[in-house]
Amino acid sequence: MSATGKIVLAVLAVLWMPVAGHGQAAGEKAPAKNEARHPDFAPLKALIGQWSGHGAGQPGNSDVQRSYRIGVGGAFVVVENQSVYAPQKANPSGERHVDHSLIGYDRARKKYVMRQFHAEGFVNQYVLDEMAPDGTKLVWVTEAIENISPGWRAKETYLVKSPDEFTEVFELAQPGKDFEVYTKNEFRRVNSDAQRGGR
């Protein structure tokens, strides 16, 4: 390499140094490449873990298993849900319902968004519409539902009773009508304290 080339490289290196360290105090560790993109899931921390419960409502009584975990590289809360409905007069063979959700944060709108995928083909997109300051109440309202007639709406309300108990109320509204309770689930935590709320 010529002497001129070496001088150019040296000048570029000096110019680059303050840019690379911009906004960092001396000795401060640079954030990981993806760390800055990770949402703050503090409002959802009470739900992280494994849960078991019982439900009641229009489809009948059910046993419910659910889990919340931070996944997809820390970018989303991943929710897995299964409800098993006991046989009843209207449905003698019973029913098994499965849905999975991804909860993320829309930075442009400054809103938490939950995209819920149902085995029946429905996709509910909720926005966190209301949240108690202490995190004991979360209200999700749909802004879109795929594979259903236009005008339907859904709402999920989480009421956190204690670190080990929460209630979920799921409501549906037909086009032009008010919300009606469809199911109500009571959950208890089944994992240990060591696993609770971890990220």
Side-chain angles (χ1 to χ4, degrees):
M1 180 183 290
S2 68
T4 303
K6 289 180 180 177
I7 291 170
V8 170
L9 284 177
V11 170
L12 288 174
V14 170
L15 290 173
W16 172 250
M17 285 170 61
V19 175
H22 181 69
Q24 265 179 247
E28 184 180 342
K29 183 182 175 185
K33 184 176 180 182
N34 292 328
E35 189 175 324
R37 297 204 311 263
H38 291 172
D40 176 11
F41 288 120
L44 307 173
K45 283 248 175 173
L47 299 174
I48 302 299
Q50 301 281 337
W51 301 85
S52 180
H54 300 283
Q58 294 185 32
N61 297 327
S62 62
D63 291 321
V64 190
Q65 303 295 322
R66 186 175 298 176
S67 67
Y68 295 83
R69 63 180 174 84
I70 295 177
V72 196
F76 295 92
V77 172
V78 180
V79 188
E80 297 183 12
N81 181 77
Q82 175 179 277
S83 300
V84 178
Y85 292 91
Q88 55 176 314
K89 187 175 181 180
N91 187 2
S93 59
E95 182 183 349
R96 178 176 174 265
H97 169 81
V98 174
D99 62 78
H100 292 177
S101 302
L102 290 175
I103 302 174
Y105 187 73
D106 184 339
R107 291 180 178 83
R109 293 190 291 169
K110 295 182 171 59
K111 293 278 189 180
Y112 289 93
V113 178
M114 175 167 62
R115 297 170 180 88
Q116 190 176 75
F117 303 86
H118 294 253
E120 296 84 0
F122 304 118
V123 181
N124 296 354
Q125 180 163 311
Y126 294 88
V127 171
L128 184 56
D129 187 63
E130 179 186 342
M131 178 176 61
D134 60 0
T136 56
K137 182 179 181 181
L138 303 171
V139 181
W140 301 86
V141 178
T142 53
E143 57 182 4
I145 304 179
E146 294 178 20
N147 300 321
I148 196 171
S149 302
W152 280 82
R153 295 175 296 144
K155 179 165 66 172
E156 289 196 4
T157 301
Y158 299 158
L159 302 169
V160 179
K161 298 177 177 180
S162 77
D164 296 313
E165 293 177 281
F166 82 94
T167 298
E168 175 199 57
V169 180
F170 175 60
E171 299 173 76
L172 284 173
Q174 297 181 41
K177 296 190 177 181
D178 293 332
F179 283 110
E180 293 183 3
V181 175
Y182 188 72
T183 57
K184 183 177 180 180
N185 295 322
E186 302 285 350
F187 287 97
R188 290 193 63 85
R189 188 181 294 278
V190 296
N191 59 335
S192 68
D193 288 344
Q195 295 171 296
R196 182 182 302 141
R199 178 171 172 174

